[in-house]
Amino acid sequence: MTLSLSRASLLTRAAALATSAAIAQASQQPAASIAHPALWPSVNAQPKRDPRIEKRIDALLKSMSVEDKVGQLIQVDIGSIKPADVVTYKIGSILNGGNSGPYDDEYASPAKWMSLADEFYDASMQRNDNGPKIPIIWGTDSVHGNNNIVGATLFPHNIGLGAARDRDLIRKIGEITALETAAAGLDWTFAPTLAVVQDDRWGRTYESYGEEPQIAADYAGAMIEGVQGKVGTKDFLSPTHLIATTKHFLGDGGTGGKDQGDTVVSEEILRDVHLGGYPAAIEAGTQSVMASFSSWNGEKMSGNKSLLTDVLKDRMHFDGFVVGDWNSHGQVAGCSNEDCPQAINAGLDMFMYSGPKWKDLYANTLREAKDGTISAARLDDAVRRILRVKFRAGTFDRGRPSARAAAGKFAVIGSAEHRAVARQAVRESLVLLKNEGVLPLKPNANILVAGPAAQSISQQAGGWSITWQGADVPNSAFPNAESIWQGISETVKAGGGAATYSADGSFTKKPDAAIVVFGEQPYAEFKGDRPTLEYNPGDTTDRNMLRKLKAAGVPVVAVFLSGRPLWVNAELNASDAFIAAFLPGSEGGGVADVLFARPDGGVNQDFRGKLSFSWPKRPDQYVLNRRDPNYDPLFAFGYGLSYAAPGKVGQLDETRPAGMADGVPGTFFGKGRLPTGWSIDAGKVAQANVDRRAQEDSKRFTWSQPGVVTITAPKPIDLSRESNGEISLVMDYRVGAKPTGPVTLGIRSGGKTVSVAIGKTLAAAAPGEWQTIAVPLQCFATRGANMAAIVVPFVLEGGAPLSLVISDIKLDYVSMPMGQCGD
């Protein structure tokens, strides 16, 4: 969509700019962050308001106290709230964050999810004061299936679906996701993501359908209809469907590859690129919109009235509710996680809160509603929007979650029918980047399958799979899934051939062909951000395996798992065929469907995927989009070979450019190494290299007197975003000699060391056994550390007797009790 600037529109723009300058001067908001609604499209929002529902809302609002109304504005993570709290505070919504499960069990059965949903619902309907009974709603991140629940069908992440270019498939995926989520008793999903990612270093690139807004526009309506049902039919928000969330409004894909960053673009680019699928989603009836963590030209979206209210609600006529992201309101200027009337006044209707102090947020918001800081009209508008969605979704009329039509039908979760659709999605999402005549493979051949990723369902599923980051989840947590190796093995066995799995690619009998499965380890936001697009810098394991097999005369087929385009020129050169498989989800068998021919030699399934993101020639091509000047990709947007339309890829340049930005590494010490330019100083503490997983991959530190071990970065690093996102400083260690005195773990910024005590934890550890200790970065931030300028991100201080072997020091998510900081 590009707006033509006629004389009239130019005059409108001039008037709007004058108005924004006046607003900026009055509010101290940057003028460049004030949107002008007249420049944005007017949308035919659906569904139209039902007078009967509006009448019910009017009556309900009259019967609600201010306390009742404020409760509706707050959503709390289930890790921080109990059903008994809802009886008292009448909270309007709960969510399970990426690592929150029912009864503190990340691997809880669907029955446990439904049981807890009943408990919260019952609590919301319990009144002893004759006040109105308003059912609570439960939101969850069902972003590629009901991905929080063991056994659910997991679809390819959005980057793969973007390559499929199949609206009907998208709609079906939405329907299945809704049904499998409703079966567990939940009401609402925080999906779809409509980010139009412009810098692929961002750790959420895989949540985007593509770099072009048109793909999001094509898919948005179909996914909303799949999740919610079609407006105007009995299917709309029926018991087999969910409330959908369109996110993250607005510009989340333009932050320069930094999560929670700042999208510094003109209003025209914000509209023409990043608005993407929002008009289509609103026309399809999306009932909630999530405000982005990010900023636009310096103003946090959760506090930007010109966009949340003036554009989204007034100009585009969205009449559902706006929910914040994970404590995103706390980043608005002048706010904290526990106090932010600015966000409500800007147009946020519901806080999303995680942490132990949600009662403080409730109390502060209540005070501000009573003293007029939040006007009665704004409070009623926010509550009206939330109630409107609850009425439309039938939550007032359908009773307990377990009593609803779709609830408790656990057989649909991971059903054969649903998995067949997911397998189809895998086939359609695969993009063939290179094929030098080796594909399709014969099913009666002798096939070697190599690489640990071939056996890892968590790696093929990616982030947001059972856990937030998705890493290190055992295959047993995916009981209905099939690994890529399993799919290949079954196909070859059925074809009369032989398939052998070897993690390191070794073999005794030379195979007819080798399929090497490798790629990125799972990640989500924060952890997934990276400084360049170089695949596995400093680690040549996968590349060497490919080269070794090719040198042995074995035809090599590379299946690459990734959540974004990456610089893999060396790996492409070492392969005869190369498939971008992205993050295919639970149905690894879909890969084999396309790689192998039929027994008669004909094509079984052809490749049909086309790149929705451009792939780089160099690892420093961070911004590489079709609409950019000097566009020069290795593989352009829309590229994709097939058996019907083959092509050749020549020898590629493997030279790594000098002077690339290094960014903040996720690992400060690992595999016996430090990041380039970093240093370790043990001072008076004796150190020696020792073995854990490999030769000299760890260090032993022995204190014979008081001493400090530090790891220093070459320049200050910014960990402020990570401290907002429940990331921890993590250390893997083994105790030799237990401490008898104090031991602290900390960080240093501006000459100030901020530490927490860990001596009791170390003293309680079993000697000789590997342990992990994690200190949330929030602990350092709340003690006064300047998280934006950390010079020494690791400070370990102790005294004799103490001996530790340390193998890994990194930033990571580790599930810990809320508020736990050291001993």
Side-chain angles (χ1 to χ4, degrees):
M1 169 192 62
T2 301
L3 300 188
S4 173
L5 292 181
S6 63
R7 174 177 170 80
S9 64
L10 286 170
L11 291 172
T12 299
R13 176 162 178 74
L17 289 171
T19 302
S20 69
I23 294 172
Q25 186 174 7
S27 66
Q28 297 184 336
Q29 179 178 343
S33 70
I34 299 174
H36 308 96
L39 303 179
W40 293 70
S42 178
V43 176
N44 182 22
Q46 298 292 334
K48 301 305 180 186
R49 293 182 189 175
D50 184 337
R52 295 168 298 177
I53 288 178
E54 299 304 311
K55 186 175 181 180
R56 292 178 73 179
I57 295 172
D58 289 339
L60 196 54
L61 283 171
K62 289 179 182 178
S63 68
M64 294 174 71
S65 65
V66 177
E67 288 80 1
D68 291 334
K69 293 176 181 178
V70 168
Q72 292 299 303
L73 270 56
I74 297 176
Q75 180 185 60
V76 184
D77 186 89
I78 60 172
S80 304
I81 191 171
K82 303 298 181 186
D85 296 319
V86 176
V87 176
T88 302
Y89 291 91
K90 301 305 171 192
I91 298 301
S93 177
I94 53 171
L95 79 149
N96 58 285
N99 285 79
S100 297
Y103 313 106
D104 299 319
D105 181 3
E106 288 182 346
Y107 301 101
S109 66
K112 286 186 176 181
W113 287 82
M114 192 169 66
S115 176
L116 188 60
D118 275 349
E119 289 184 37
F120 275 109
Y121 174 88
D122 292 345
S124 70
M125 300 300 283
Q126 184 177 330
R127 297 292 301 235
N128 300 318
D129 58 358
N130 296 319
K133 298 178 179 179
I134 303 175
I136 199 168
I137 52 175
W138 184 331
T140 188
D141 285 280
S142 291
V143 296
H144 67 131
N146 188 4
N147 44 260
N148 295 287
I149 290 186
V150 171
T153 306
L154 300 186
F155 297 94
H157 271 294
N158 286 355
I159 188 171
L161 298 180
R165 308 289 210 280
D166 188 338
R167 280 174 51 86
D168 291 337
L169 175 64
I170 290 295
R171 184 179 291 104
K172 188 64 177 177
I173 288 171
E175 291 173 357
I176 292 171
T177 298
L179 183 58
E180 293 200 14
T181 305
L186 279 58
D187 308 279
W188 170 20
T189 176
F190 304 135
T193 298
L194 297 182
V196 183
V197 175
Q198 302 292 285
D199 188 323
D200 302 338
R201 292 175 296 176
W202 190 31
R204 305 190 77 162
T205 297
Y206 65 81
E207 295 186 53
S208 170
Y209 293 120
E211 70 188 42
E212 282 289 319
Q214 189 59 49
I215 299 179
D218 288 343
Y219 275 5
M223 181 59 81
I224 295 297
E225 285 184 0
V227 172
Q228 293 189 161
K230 187 174 179 62
V231 171
T233 71
K234 292 181 179 179
D235 202 36
F236 181 65
L237 290 174
S238 71
T240 60
H241 290 279
L242 303 173
I243 299 164
T245 304
T246 306
K247 67 180 187 182
H248 307 82
F249 189 86
L250 185 66
D252 50 345
T255 60
K258 297 179 180 179
D259 199 64
Q260 303 182 13
D262 191 4
T263 296
V264 182
V265 297
S266 68
E267 184 171 0
E268 286 75 16
I269 290 177
L270 186 71
R271 177 197 66 202
D272 295 346
V273 175
H274 296 284
L275 187 64
Y278 282 90
I282 293 169
E283 289 179 355
T286 186
Q287 289 299 284
S288 68
V289 169
M290 185 180 292
S292 180
F293 257 122
S294 57
S295 305
W296 174 48
N297 292 336
E299 184 76 6
K300 283 293 180 181
M301 278 304 312
S302 290
N304 195 319
K305 181 179 182 294
S306 72
L307 283 165
L308 294 183
T309 297
D310 301 343
V311 170
L312 178 63
K313 294 180 176 179
D314 294 344
R315 178 64 173 172
M316 295 169 64
H317 310 296
F318 171 69
D319 74 352
F321 65 85
V322 177
V323 62
D325 205 340
W326 186 269
N327 291 338
S328 63
H329 59 275
Q331 297 184 24
V332 173
C335 290
S336 67
N337 290 350
E338 289 73 40
D339 190 6
C340 194
Q342 294 94 319
I344 299 297
N345 289 335
L348 197 76
D349 300 308
M350 182 184 289
F351 295 115
M352 180 188 288
Y353 184 90
S354 174
K357 298 182 178 180
W358 62 267
K359 293 178 183 177
D360 291 351
L361 176 63
Y362 174 89
N364 288 326
T365 307
L366 178 61
R367 171 176 49 79
E368 288 147 358
K370 288 183 173 180
D371 69 17
T373 302
I374 299 171
S375 70
R378 172 77 270 262
L379 178 65
D380 280 0
D381 175 61
V383 175
R384 176 179 290 276
R385 289 170 174 274
I386 294 165
L387 295 178
R388 180 180 293 133
V389 173
K390 288 185 176 184
F391 275 118
R392 285 173 174 169
T395 51
F396 280 89
D397 307 314
R398 294 175 186 156
R400 306 175 84 211
S402 61
R404 298 170 191 169
K409 295 182 178 179
F410 302 140
V412 304
I413 297 176
S415 70
E417 179 185 358
H418 291 176
R419 292 182 59 204
V421 175
R423 187 162 178 156
Q424 174 193 351
V426 175
R427 292 194 297 267
E428 294 189 17
S429 68
L430 301 176
V431 179
L432 181 61
L433 299 182
K434 177 181 180 180
N435 183 22
E436 302 298 327
V438 67
L439 293 177
L441 298 170
K442 297 177 180 179
N444 62 350
N446 175 23
I447 303 296
L448 173 69
V449 179
Q455 279 273 46
S456 172
I457 294 170
S458 71
Q459 191 167 349
Q460 73 188 42
W464 291 106
S465 299
I466 305 300
T467 65
W468 172 37
Q469 295 289 332
D472 302 319
V473 179
N475 282 0
S476 60
F478 306 96
N480 297 322
E482 183 176 52
S483 70
I484 293 173
W485 152 247
Q486 288 172 313
I488 294 170
S489 177
E490 289 181 7
T491 297
V492 173
K493 183 179 179 180
T500 304
Y501 173 72
S502 170
D504 63 2
S506 60
F507 58 84
T508 53
K509 180 183 177 182
K510 183 179 177 181
D512 296 321
I515 301 171
V516 182
V517 186
F518 66 102
E520 291 188 292
Q521 294 296 320
Y523 55 81
E525 59 262 45
F526 299 115
K527 189 177 178 181
D529 290 0
R530 58 187 302 149
T532 76
L533 295 182
E534 181 178 6
Y535 172 63
N536 269 12
D539 187 345
T540 60
T541 304
D542 300 323
R543 186 184 315 163
N544 291 343
M545 187 190 305
L546 294 167
R547 287 173 173 169
K548 184 177 180 180
L549 287 164
K550 194 167 187 179
V554 178
V556 177
V557 178
V559 176
F560 187 57
L561 303 175
S562 74
R564 64 190 126 209
L566 289 170
W567 185 59
V568 286
N569 285 16
E571 289 78 11
L572 278 157
N573 285 338
S575 306
D576 298 292
F578 196 103
I579 296 93
F582 304 107
L583 301 170
S586 61
E587 303 314 305
V591 175
D593 291 343
V594 184
L595 294 188
F596 287 89
R598 297 196 306 261
D600 63 5
V603 171
N604 180 42
Q605 296 280 346
D606 203 350
F607 288 91
R608 55 172 291 175
K610 304 296 180 182
L611 292 179
S612 60
F613 284 91
S614 307
W615 278 56
K617 281 184 176 178
R618 305 185 313 275
D620 57 355
Q621 287 181 298
Y622 315 136
V623 179
L624 183 65
N625 307 293
R626 188 172 62 170
R627 62 182 55 239
D628 296 330
N630 303 315
Y631 178 62
D632 185 29
L634 176 61
F635 300 120
F637 176 91
Y639 174 91
L641 304 177
S642 67
Y643 299 136
K648 289 285 185 180
V649 177
Q651 188 72 11
L652 303 174
D653 185 2
E654 298 182 18
T655 305
R656 185 183 189 273
M660 288 194 303
D662 290 328
V664 179
T667 298
F668 301 158
F669 175 72
K671 298 183 179 180
R673 300 192 298 266
L674 297 166
T676 303
W678 290 51
S679 61
I680 190 166
D681 183 5
K684 301 175 182 179
V685 181
Q687 60 174 310
N689 295 330
V690 297
D691 302 344
R692 182 187 181 186
R693 306 181 189 94
Q695 186 175 7
E696 297 190 353
D697 66 345
S698 306
K699 283 186 178 290
R700 176 185 291 112
F701 297 98
T702 304
W703 282 256
S704 58
Q705 58 185 309
V708 183
V709 177
T710 60
I711 294 178
T712 302
K715 59 183 180 180
I717 60 176
D718 184 357
L719 299 180
S720 55
R721 294 178 303 115
E722 287 81 354
S723 66
N724 291 330
E726 299 196 355
I727 297 295
S728 295
L729 176 59
V730 180
M731 178 178 74
D732 281 6
Y733 68 95
R734 185 179 69 201
V735 173
K738 291 186 176 184
T740 57
V743 183
T744 60
L745 178 61
I747 61 177
R748 186 179 299 159
S749 60
K752 177 183 179 181
T753 300
V754 177
S755 301
V756 300
I758 63 170
K760 292 180 181 178
T761 300
L762 298 182
E769 295 185 7
W770 284 102
Q771 311 277 345
T772 298
I773 190 168
V775 178
L777 295 180
Q778 292 175 353
C779 297
F780 304 124
T782 56
R783 285 164 167 75
N786 179 6
M787 302 304 294
I790 304 298
V791 178
V792 185
F794 180 81
V795 181
L796 181 62
E797 185 170 3
L802 174 59
S803 177
L804 294 176
V805 177
I806 299 175
S807 69
D808 299 282
I809 301 169
K810 59 187 177 180
L811 300 177
D812 205 348
Y813 179 90
V814 176
S815 182
M816 298 184 69
M818 285 291 182
Q820 179 173 316
C821 292
D823 294 336

